[in-house]
Amino acid sequence: MTARPRQRSRPAARAEAILASAVFTAIAALLVIADFLDQPFYLKLLTRALVLALAALALDLAVGIAGLVSLGHAAFLGVGAYVIGISAEHGMTNGWVQWPLAVAAAASAALVVGGLSLRTRGVQFIMITLAFGQMFFYLANSLSRYGGDDGLTIWTRSQFGTWLSLSDRRTLAWLSLSILLAAYLFLRKLRWSRFGRVLRAAKENERRMAALGFAVGRFRLVAFVISGALTGLAGVLLANLTEFVAPAYLSWHRSGELLAMVVLGGLGTLHGAVLGAFVFVLLEEVLARLTTHWALLFGPFLVLVVLAGRGGLVGLVQRIDAPR
Amino acid sequence: MTAVLLARGLAKSFGAVVAAADLDLELRANEIHAVIGPNGAGKTTLLGLLAGELRPDAGRIVLAGRDITPLPVHARAALGLGRTFQVSSVLPSFTVLENVAIAVQARAGSSFRFLRAAETDESLNGPARSSLDKVGLGALADRPASTLAHGERRLLELAMALVQRPRVLLLDEPLAGVAPAEAEQLLALLESLRSEMGILLVEHDMDAVFRLADRVTVLVHGRVIASGAPAEVRRDPAVRSAYLGEDDEGAFDDRTDQLRVTGRASFRR
Amino acid sequence: MDPLLLLVQLLNGVQLGLLLFLVAAGLTLVFGILDVINLAHGVLYMVGAYAAAVVLVRSGHFALAVLAGPLVALGAGLALDRLVLRFVYDRDHLDQVLATFGVLIFVNELVRVLFGPAALPFPLPAGFEWSVRLPGGATYPAWRLAIIAAGAILAFLLFWVLTRTRAGMLVRAAATDPAMLEMLGVDVRRLFLLVLGAGAALAGFAGAMAGPIVAVQPGMGDQILILAFVVIVTGGTGSVQGALLGSLLVGLADTLGRSFLTDMLRLALPPAAANEVGPALASMLIYLVMAGVLLARPRGLMPVRRAAR
Ligand SMILES: Nc1ncnc2c1ncn2[C@@H]1O[C@H](COP(=O)(O)OP(=O)(O)O)[C@@H](O)[C@H]1O
Ligand SMILES: [Mg+2]
């Protein structure tokens, strides 16, 4: 394995910034077009992609940067969504209360799951995150008061006073994009910060980092919690988008799909996760139109992406950009 | 002189293999204490026990008056226990400078800073650069660590350890595989460090050991068979008969597998 | 608590545990030898169940059906190795997860296309429609007893093979120190294939045996896969003894939790609250057990001692 320097050379940093801007500009353009053509269906589809992109971005922090392969992230998405659904069910629809509550709940769930899972490594970590994710799935299923396995309709979206109404599809779409962009900029800073450097270095050589005096587990746990909180925020948006929550949001297949988005776009690159989520959602849409059995096509596609794609779509662009 | 690092009754077995048996060891501040012994004697195991990578089956470890036996690796490191590994352990995809800067970061307070770029942080890079200059790697600062030659990598590890200003430095065969010219440089560096810290030096190169060490401990099958000033140890009958006896030069100089085997075989008698 | 019901549920717990063991044993050995994570292992259980169901309906021979389960699963396991797994042995866990996840969603969908989304009929064999009278007067379905017997025999056989045969010893050695085996000139790759095949056959057999008592439908393997993960984490990765212990623990905790937890909560809580909390807690019980084990022994109840590099 040849290790490329992680330090950003100036041209590499610029190329990354250009590609990331291109991704976000393209998304904004799509939103404008869908809006201009008055296509609520596509606006909703794009918002869904934005929301899943936020979740994939958050997952990339855990997997791509901190090296924690979580197969249970859908649980945090679900916790965020369920807090919105349950609080709305009780008539509590003030977004200024709901949203922080939902994010805090997702962060707490990540703290517990991460705290337990981080006692192990490698394959065990994957299995444990999957298992705990499934535990949350069953918990949602058994909430008979909140719809059980049928799920729960949200009659009122989060309220933010008069100046921001989420009932307007456009507002929700642009708000989602703003949140995604803010999260992206935050995580990009984080990656190159002292904290991010510890995560990246520990992914590469944990033993050395411990010998230098780093309590590696603590850094990873904090990263996992940040990741879980942001995924919870994606769940908040998802609940407001679909006006519905159901145990299916926590399905472990969703966790697998989020991982697929991250790898499809380019592991550890952040903007790759956003790109991956959009390609995934749009591909799913196209395939689903071709056949109801789109998984027959998607499964092999995923295998091929893994076998062929070193570095995902972002890696592909880089290779085209700078052929050796 | 007071002991900065103290081990009492350390024991460690891997299944039937006894790698440390009732080991006592004392490292004073400002001394270079060499640990020698044939391959498989338990030298690396001893360092692992001291650094906290291995849990002892019995015994106690005291660092600067504090019992550190229950502490994990990172906590011991934070208390001033630096080390290099027998197989160099650096961060290959980071630059040489960043490798050392991360070591600075470990000691320079908070790493829970999430926004400002670490790479351009002069409060980290400054000390890192001077440490690199000290070991003579200043010119290679911007190279990825993966491109370093073997000897350079050893020096980098040393720069990482030194920048943390440890009380105690554990070195596992720092000279193994290092070219003579670099070895000379490294020896001079170690010599100059004596005034700043206690150094526990595991080394096979007998010339280096007898040149540098204030004291020497001889380990065989996880037991101390002799310990004291170099001249005493050289004269010790147990060491002579078991170790130096048959071949003054060769027995210790086991850089190759071949010699290692003969070295070990000579103990079975 | 009704002692008769308790006896029946204990038996149910053991029966679930032994089924789980048949699935988890192969999975844990595969981790042990090559440190490979295979999400498609549950698919082999499903394939076994479907193969058995189809053969049963076509031929009417139950013995043939039960034989078809492991055989078809074995074939599927080897095909899985050929087509996907062998390309990801040397990759990191993330790649293994994604590739085998791709396989899983593909096969689940393929089964849906071929056999429809509904559960396949899988009638009990003629000789097994009766129940056994237990001491105390309760009755217990003969088929479930047959599962217990078959599971126990296979577990015994597996331990015998692992401890008494050369291949078995190599497998155990591989779980402790794969590098050493390579140095001794053992073809670890072939050993792995052997274990993968055996594990596939065991999972397929479990699917066939479970056929009459579970719903044979697409995705049925996912559930068992996750339970097997819980078993492996609880028991200790790579350890077959651990898998047996973990299986029984998980089987019993799940079964007993579902039947008695609500009643037990009624002793402490008002009935309405107990009715609400009980089922939720019961469905989470095995994960809480796993969490408890992780807190006390992060490497599981019976971890394999791996030689350090
Ligand atoms: N992790 C381990 N597992 C099993 N045996 C080990 C392990 N580490 C060391 N040993 C054994 O302990 C003995 C001492 O090894 P070591 O400390 O590396 O010796 P030295 O560094 O003096 O050559 C050797 O026999 C070695 O095989
Ligand atoms: Mg050694």
Side-chain angles (χ1 to χ4, degrees):
Chain A
M1 202 182 73
T2 57
R4 279 190 299 116
R6 281 288 160 73
Q7 195 185 30
R8 291 173 298 173
S9 63
R10 293 295 144 225
R14 196 164 348 107
E16 180 185 309
I18 291 174
L19 187 54
S21 320
V23 168
F24 278 97
T25 313
I27 294 171
L30 286 174
L31 282 189
V32 171
I33 293 170
D35 191 13
F36 181 73
L37 297 178
D38 197 22
Q39 291 280 352
F41 173 79
Y42 284 106
L43 203 56
K44 188 169 178 184
L45 183 69
L46 289 172
T47 312
R48 198 177 119 78
L50 282 167
V51 169
L52 291 178
L54 179 59
L57 184 68
L59 184 59
D60 198 19
L61 168 63
V63 185
I65 295 178
L68 307 172
V69 181
S70 164
L71 197 44
H73 255 53
F76 309 132
L77 191 84
V79 167
Y82 260 91
V83 169
I84 299 299
I86 291 173
S87 54
E89 183 75 2
H90 290 281
M92 176 52 242
T93 55
N94 183 339
W96 299 109
V97 179
Q98 271 187 322
W99 287 37
L101 200 66
V103 171
S108 315
L111 184 66
V112 174
V113 172
L116 286 166
S117 314
L118 279 168
R119 296 172 70 82
T120 64
R121 295 270 174 287
V123 167
Q124 275 116 309
F125 184 86
I126 300 173
M127 293 192 282
I128 292 166
T129 49
L130 170 56
F132 281 127
Q134 197 67 2
M135 180 179 87
F136 281 96
F137 174 77
Y138 285 121
L139 179 63
N141 256 305
S142 62
L143 294 174
S144 49
R145 189 190 294 192
Y146 303 109
D149 54 0
D150 292 334
L152 180 67
T153 300
I154 298 171
W155 299 106
T156 315
R157 289 193 167 104
S158 302
Q159 307 289 312
F160 285 94
T162 48
W163 59 281
L164 187 77
S165 167
L166 299 187
S167 319
D168 180 355
R169 284 211 188 291
R170 268 176 302 171
T171 312
L172 189 58
W174 288 103
L175 180 67
S176 300
L177 177 58
S178 315
I179 291 175
L180 177 66
L181 183 61
Y184 167 73
L185 292 175
F186 166 63
L187 290 182
R188 198 169 80 174
K189 284 252 173 221
L190 182 146
R191 177 160 59 138
W192 302 110
S193 71
R194 288 188 180 195
F195 177 76
R197 181 154 79 174
V198 174
L199 294 180
R200 289 181 288 123
K203 184 181 175 204
E204 191 164 302
N205 190 345
E206 179 173 350
R207 191 166 176 225
R208 175 32 93 188
M209 290 301 277
L212 287 177
F214 288 102
V216 169
R218 222 170 290 160
F219 289 87
R220 289 184 172 152
L221 183 56
V222 171
F224 197 79
V225 170
I226 295 175
S227 171
L230 284 174
T231 310
L233 186 57
V236 167
L237 291 169
L238 190 61
N240 275 291
L241 175 68
T242 58
E243 299 167 89
F244 181 66
V245 288
Y249 286 21
L250 295 85
S251 139
W252 76 278
H253 281 227
R254 170 53 52 76
S255 298
E257 287 165 13
L258 288 175
L259 270 183
M261 294 173 197
V262 172
V263 170
L264 176 62
L267 185 69
T269 62
L270 299 178
H271 55 286
V274 174
L275 185 61
F278 267 82
V279 170
F280 183 98
V281 170
L282 298 180
L283 196 66
E284 183 186 36
E285 183 64 28
V286 172
L287 291 182
R289 290 193 176 194
L290 287 177
T291 161
T292 50
H293 303 294
W294 65 275
L296 282 185
L297 299 171
F298 188 73
F301 172 73
L302 194 53
V303 175
L304 288 179
V305 166
V306 172
L307 295 190
R310 302 262 87 203
L313 293 169
V314 167
L316 195 67
V317 172
Q318 275 167 1
R319 258 172 283 150
I320 293 168
D321 191 37
R324 306 194 168 193
Chain B
M1 259 201 279
T2 53
V4 60
L5 183 68
L6 201 70
R8 283 279 168 265
L10 281 187
K12 180 75 186 177
S13 302
F14 300 103
V17 179
V18 178
D22 197 22
L23 258 180
D24 289 339
L25 190 90
E26 185 188 288
L27 174 70
R28 298 174 193 149
N30 310 324
E31 79 163 343
I32 297 181
H33 187 152
V35 175
I36 63 174
N39 227 273
K43 304 180 297 294
T44 298
T45 302
L46 173 63
L47 293 194
L49 289 168
L50 294 174
E53 285 200 333
L54 298 171
R55 297 264 127 206
D57 300 334
R60 231 157 46 85
I61 302 163
V62 178
L63 176 67
R66 180 168 169 185
D67 188 345
I68 58 166
T69 320
L71 297 185
V73 176
H74 63 83
R76 295 184 195 200
L79 288 175
L81 200 69
R83 79 173 296 194
T84 68
F85 292 90
Q86 183 167 355
V87 178
S88 327
S89 173
V90 296
L91 304 162
S93 81
F94 289 76
T95 64
V96 169
L97 179 67
E98 244 192 326
N99 265 276
V100 188
I102 287 171
V104 181
Q105 193 180 319
R107 284 305 283 264
S110 179
S111 284
F112 285 99
R113 296 199 192 157
F114 300 90
L115 295 177
R116 217 174 76 191
E119 207 186 323
T120 50
D121 190 336
E122 270 314 302
S123 69
L124 301 178
N125 290 346
R129 270 199 205 90
S130 54
S131 182
L132 281 175
D133 287 340
K134 205 160 158 186
V135 302
L137 286 182
L140 303 180
D142 292 327
R143 289 248 305 263
S146 59
T147 64
L148 293 188
H150 180 79
E152 294 165 342
R153 220 177 270 209
R154 296 229 154 236
L155 290 172
L156 172 56
E157 255 201 309
L158 202 56
M160 292 165 78
L162 290 185
V163 81
Q164 302 199 303
R165 309 203 161 282
R167 293 173 213 262
V168 169
L169 186 56
L170 310 176
L171 301 174
D172 201 348
E173 302 196 23
L175 293 177
V178 174
E182 279 169 326
E184 198 53 44
Q185 181 192 350
L186 214 139
L187 287 181
L189 182 64
L190 292 184
E191 183 67 57
S192 76
L193 291 174
R194 195 196 306 260
S195 61
E196 296 171 33
M197 59 195 73
I199 299 178
L200 194 67
L201 172 70
V202 168
E203 186 48 63
H204 271 308
D205 182 335
M206 283 306 114
D207 289 341
V209 165
F210 284 102
R211 196 171 113 193
L212 278 181
D214 301 300
R215 287 193 300 154
V216 177
T217 292
V218 185
L219 221 56
V220 174
H221 291 319
R223 283 174 205 283
V224 175
I225 63 161
S227 183
E232 284 170 39
V233 168
R234 231 198 251 273
R235 262 184 272 114
D236 189 302
V239 178
R240 288 202 78 83
S241 71
Y243 207 151
L244 299 173
E246 49 176 52
D247 179 2
D248 227 328
E249 312 286 317
F252 278 117
D253 193 5
D254 59 23
R255 286 192 195 155
T256 66
D257 282 337
Q258 190 94 52
L259 285 168
R260 266 179 209 157
V261 173
T262 54
R264 193 185 305 197
S266 67
F267 278 92
R268 296 242 169 82
R269 294 183 189 152
Chain C
M1 212 181 291
D2 181 357
L4 290 183
L5 184 60
L6 180 64
L7 180 60
V8 167
Q9 294 298 9
L10 278 174
L11 283 172
N12 278 340
V14 171
Q15 175 253 302
L16 174 61
L18 286 171
L19 267 186
L20 273 177
F21 173 72
L22 294 181
V23 177
L27 202 52
T28 203
L29 283 172
V30 164
F31 294 137
I33 295 178
L34 277 193
D35 198 27
V36 168
I37 180 163
N38 174 16
L39 296 184
H41 193 72
V43 162
L44 302 170
Y45 167 86
M46 174 177 72
V47 165
Y50 268 91
V54 168
V55 169
L56 180 63
V57 168
R58 293 276 159 86
S59 72
H61 281 295
F62 196 80
L64 220 54
V66 169
L67 205 62
L71 282 180
V72 175
L74 172 66
L78 296 179
L80 177 68
D81 178 75
R82 280 275 97 190
L83 296 173
V84 178
L85 279 184
R86 70 186 169 117
F87 297 110
V88 293
Y89 289 140
D90 303 333
R91 301 286 198 83
D92 55 22
H93 293 142
L94 179 58
D95 283 353
Q96 294 163 2
V97 163
L98 283 176
T100 54
F101 180 64
V103 171
L104 174 146
I105 57 180
F106 172 77
V107 180
N108 276 345
E109 196 61 40
L110 187 66
V111 165
R112 191 167 295 134
V113 171
L114 293 178
F115 301 98
L120 283 197
F122 200 138
L124 265 181
F128 282 99
E129 280 151 341
W130 44 281
S131 286
V132 178
R133 186 161 293 278
L134 298 176
T139 57
Y140 197 73
W143 183 246
R144 287 182 186 263
L145 278 184
I147 294 179
I148 293 178
I153 290 170
L154 277 175
F156 181 82
L157 268 178
L158 191 60
F159 280 111
W160 185 82
V161 168
L162 282 175
T163 50
R164 289 295 143 82
T165 68
R166 192 183 125 77
M169 283 181 211
L170 287 179
V171 168
R172 283 191 306 148
T176 0
D177 196 349
M180 174 63 83
L181 275 196
E182 294 268 17
M183 280 195 303
L184 292 175
V186 175
D187 187 345
V188 174
R189 176 82 181 89
R190 249 183 58 201
L191 198 63
F192 175 81
L193 213 55
L194 183 78
V195 171
L196 185 78
L202 283 176
F205 178 72
M209 292 297 282
I213 58 171
V214 300
V216 179
Q217 61 191 16
M220 66 184 284
D222 293 15
Q223 178 59 27
I224 204 97
L225 173 78
I226 295 172
L227 287 179
F229 281 172
V230 175
V231 162
I232 289 166
V233 169
T234 307
T237 311
S239 151
V240 180
Q241 283 108 307
L244 183 58
L245 182 66
S247 300
L248 292 173
L249 195 64
V250 167
L252 286 169
D254 196 52
T255 311
L256 297 180
R258 282 178 205 280
S259 15
F260 299 115
L261 205 59
T262 306
D263 287 346
M264 273 156 63
L265 284 175
R266 281 219 185 96
L267 301 176
L269 296 174
N275 283 344
E276 199 143 317
V277 177
L281 208 54
S283 65
M284 294 165 64
L285 192 61
I286 56 167
Y287 303 100
L288 298 177
V289 169
M290 179 180 84
V293 169
L294 279 175
L295 279 177
R297 311 191 55 164
R299 301 184 53 209
L301 293 172
M302 304 179 83
V304 170
R305 268 173 201 278
R306 260 184 179 275
R309 292 126 295 166

